[in-house]
Amino acid sequence: MAQPGILARLDHPADFDGWRRHARALALAEVAPGRIDWHIGTEASGLFAGLAEPPPVPASGAELRVPREFVELAQAVVCHRDGGRFDLLYRLLLRLQREPMLLHVITDDEVHRARAMAKAVRRDLHKMTAFVRFREVVGPDGGEAFVAWFEPEHHIVERVSRFFVERFAAMRWSILTPLRSLHWDGTTLHLGEGASRADAPDDDAMEGYWRTYYANIFNPARLKIKAMKAEMPEKYWRNLPEAELIAPLIAAAGKRAQEMVAKAPTLPPERHLRQMQRLRDAEPGSTDAPTSWEQARAVAKDCSRCGLCQQATQTVFGEGPLAAPVMFVGEQPGDQEDLAGRPFVGPAGQVFDRVMGEAGLDRSRAYVTNAVKHFKFTVRCKRRIHERPHAGEIAACRFWLGLEREFVRPKLVVALGATALHALTGYTGSLASMRERDLALEDGTALLATVHPSYLLRLPDEDARERETARFRADLERVGLLVPEMLAA
Ligand code: URA
């Protein structure tokens, strides 16, 4: 017999807490997505007759696996206008229980859809914080108050409210939108119904202020009309008092830019001087971020972000062309790398080079680095024996790996082994389940995960070594397929 449907009620269109409460209980009770009717509002309707209430949340016992990244994704997706958003999130939640790295599989339709929805919502949030324009009105008590009209595309009003309360805490204001409205009386925020354009005033002295502000920040020497329209889409212009200045400012931009060049000081901008000074003064371990790869490498020489620098001979930074299309990330330098100051030159490096060649790849076109930049070891019988870095050391060194990614900007990152995958994604589960899949980093860069070459060296039996080497070679061949620039000529 077919199981009855379940009515999961939500208080409002972006009710993340309500969705989470129901989703948790439903997932723990293993309710299939197709049985759930996600409904916004509390009104009774004959349409819901026959639908059961969601099961109660179990007081204790089994728990769900919910990566932090999913919570952030879900908080954005619930704000999207798409009617299927709650169902999509519930499906992802169920799948995450079996596929913990699912969110990194960008080729997956549901992941792709959710990420696109979150991106649209974030863009809408950004636009609202940038393009709300207040007009002065007389408040109910005859005092000063401000009203703005804005048309968001998604259910973001509640989410964005904190921004406006913090930014305009001392004013009394209302932001009217067709979906919901915000009213701040100086101490309390009220969320109201949607409003119409006619409820908002049209003109006032504030408009003059916005026009002056815009004319001042407009830099004719940096004029890029396409980028400007992407940042300030034309659909927002009708609510922006300064929009009427755009055309004349663009028309006069060429002449004004020439005047600015003629008047420009010859010293570098103050900001650059301050930054250079900070770098010169930077203590080892300072988080002042270098602004070029060369600076990063130089500053990393004195790195003491964790204790590994005390034993190791030197920092082993990554190497390779800065325009490399692929970045290989290993674990940490070994004994020989520590002495030579270069990554992957010892026994594991030799395996790496050999299999790269067999897969048709040219190592000299790749950027090769490690998750951790100092050799970690214990001494036994006068020999330095490799030790795996722990999570704190990996986290401390992520700073440098992040800079390398920023300066090299590869199309594809290849994680060689579990430590590299952990450093790049935070994932600490099994490497095996991540192999042979098209993954992506949080910024969208493609990611492949494979074994570390030293794993092949440790396999005791010949057959296993051959089999595993063939799999490693196949992984590297995939690199050549994805990024043909890596293929040896
Ligand atoms: N193992 C690594 O992970 N990196 C090296 O550079 C050498 C061995």
Side-chain angles (χ1 to χ4, degrees), residues 316 329-334 337 342-346 348-349 368-370 416 452 454:
V316 179
V329 183
E331 182 192 81
Q332 58 162 330
E337 287 81 10
R342 296 183 51 211
F344 283 100
V345 293
V368 180
T369 190
N370 283 301
L416 298 169
H452 191 284
S454 65

Side-chain angles (χ1 to χ4, degrees), residues 16 51 60 75 84 151 167 171 191 207 237 267 296 306 311 357 360-361 368 397 403 444-446:
F16 174 73
L51 294 181
S60 62
Q75 281 171 335
E151 293 166 47
R167 173 71 75 88
M171 287 165 38
L191 269 155
E207 303 222 338
W237 290 16
L267 284 172
C306 72
Q311 273 193 308
L361 302 183
V368 180
C397 225
L403 284 177
T445 308

Side-chain angles (χ1 to χ4, degrees), residues 154-192:
H154 302 287
H155 301 285
I156 57 168
V157 172
E158 189 164 15
R159 184 120 190 252
V160 84
S161 59
R162 187 135 57 91
F163 168 87
F164 288 101
V165 167
E166 282 169 10
R167 173 71 75 88
F168 302 108
M171 287 165 38
R172 288 186 306 165
W173 49 260
S174 294
I175 301 177
L176 311 179
T177 88
L179 301 171
R180 295 190 104 187
S181 298
L182 295 172
H183 307 281
W184 173 249
D185 63 10
T187 38
T188 314
L189 181 73
H190 301 277
L191 269 155

Side-chain angles (χ1 to χ4, degrees), residues 112-411:
H112 180 74
R113 208 174 128 213
R115 283 195 180 279
M117 283 160 78
K119 192 168 168 196
V121 167
R122 290 194 193 106
R123 187 174 155 82
D124 205 25
L125 283 166
H126 169 70
K127 297 294 172 218
M128 183 157 174
T129 57
F131 298 139
V132 159
R133 297 288 182 266
F134 287 106
R135 271 118 175 152
E136 191 171 353
V137 293
V138 180
D141 56 359
E144 187 184 68
F146 297 87
V147 179
W149 169 252
F150 189 79
E151 293 166 47
E153 284 180 21
H154 302 287
H155 301 285
I156 57 168
V157 172
E158 189 164 15
R159 184 120 190 252
V160 84
S161 59
R162 187 135 57 91
F163 168 87
F164 288 101
V165 167
E166 282 169 10
R167 173 71 75 88
F168 302 108
M171 287 165 38
R172 288 186 306 165
W173 49 260
S174 294
I175 301 177
L176 311 179
T177 88
L179 301 171
R180 295 190 104 187
S181 298
L182 295 172
H183 307 281
W184 173 249
D185 63 10
T187 38
T188 314
L189 181 73
H190 301 277
L191 269 155
E193 296 293 306
S196 79
R197 176 82 184 83
D199 298 327
D202 250 352
D203 206 355
D204 79 332
M206 289 292 285
E207 303 222 338
Y209 162 78
W210 280 113
R211 277 191 285 267
T212 311
Y213 168 76
Y214 186 71
N216 278 304
I217 60 158
F218 181 84
N219 183 344
R222 295 239 174 109
L223 178 62
K224 291 200 181 89
I225 296 175
K226 219 164 134 201
M228 189 186 89
K229 285 189 176 167
E231 179 56 23
M232 192 198 269
E234 282 181 75
K235 69 175 178 192
Y236 296 111
W237 290 16
R238 68 197 148 107
N239 293 322
L240 297 177
E242 67 269 34
E244 66 186 53
L245 290 183
I246 295 175
L249 284 171
I250 290 176
K255 188 156 166 275
R256 278 187 61 203
Q258 277 172 8
E259 288 163 9
M260 278 172 68
V261 170
K263 281 199 229 144
T266 50
L267 284 172
E270 183 69 10
R271 175 165 56 90
H272 288 185
L273 292 175
R274 278 203 306 273
Q275 193 168 37
M276 294 305 294
Q277 188 58 44
R278 263 209 318 275
L279 275 170
R280 276 195 293 273
D281 294 344
E283 291 294 319
S286 148
T287 52
D288 270 336
T291 53
S292 70
W293 179 88
E294 289 76 9
Q295 268 181 7
R297 185 172 191 271
V299 180
K301 283 194 166 97
D302 294 325
C303 177
S304 59
R305 299 174 74 86
C306 72
L308 293 183
C309 56
Q310 289 174 10
Q311 273 193 308
T313 310
Q314 57 189 314
T315 305
V316 179
F317 211 67
E319 65 174 24
L322 295 188
V326 176
M327 175 181 282
F328 288 92
V329 183
E331 182 192 81
Q332 58 162 330
D335 184 87
Q336 298 198 24
E337 287 81 10
D338 171 75
L339 299 173
R342 296 183 51 211
F344 283 100
V345 293
Q350 283 160 23
V351 174
F352 179 57
D353 285 351
R354 177 169 56 78
V355 186
M356 286 279 280
E358 289 168 4
L361 302 183
D362 179 352
R363 171 171 169 173
S364 71
R365 298 183 188 187
Y367 186 89
V368 180
T369 190
N370 283 301
V372 170
K373 310 287 192 249
H374 281 119
F375 179 32
K376 179 172 180 182
F377 59 90
T378 46
V379 180
R380 256 184 262 143
C381 306
K382 298 197 180 160
R383 290 191 58 215
R384 303 194 297 172
I385 311 293
H386 159 275
E387 269 203 346
R388 266 184 107 158
H390 60 58
E393 289 152 353
I394 295 171
C397 225
R398 198 175 277 134
F399 174 72
W400 300 116
L401 185 58
L403 284 177
E404 287 176 296
R405 279 178 53 202
E406 195 176 314
F407 296 131
V408 178
R409 293 203 170 274
K411 289 184 192 161

Side-chain angles (χ1 to χ4, degrees), residues 94-108:
L94 291 187
R95 290 182 59 198
L96 275 167
Q97 308 314 303
R98 305 181 303 272
E99 304 169 69
M101 279 294 273
L102 175 64
L103 297 183
H104 291 270
V105 183
I106 39 155
T107 45
D108 184 278

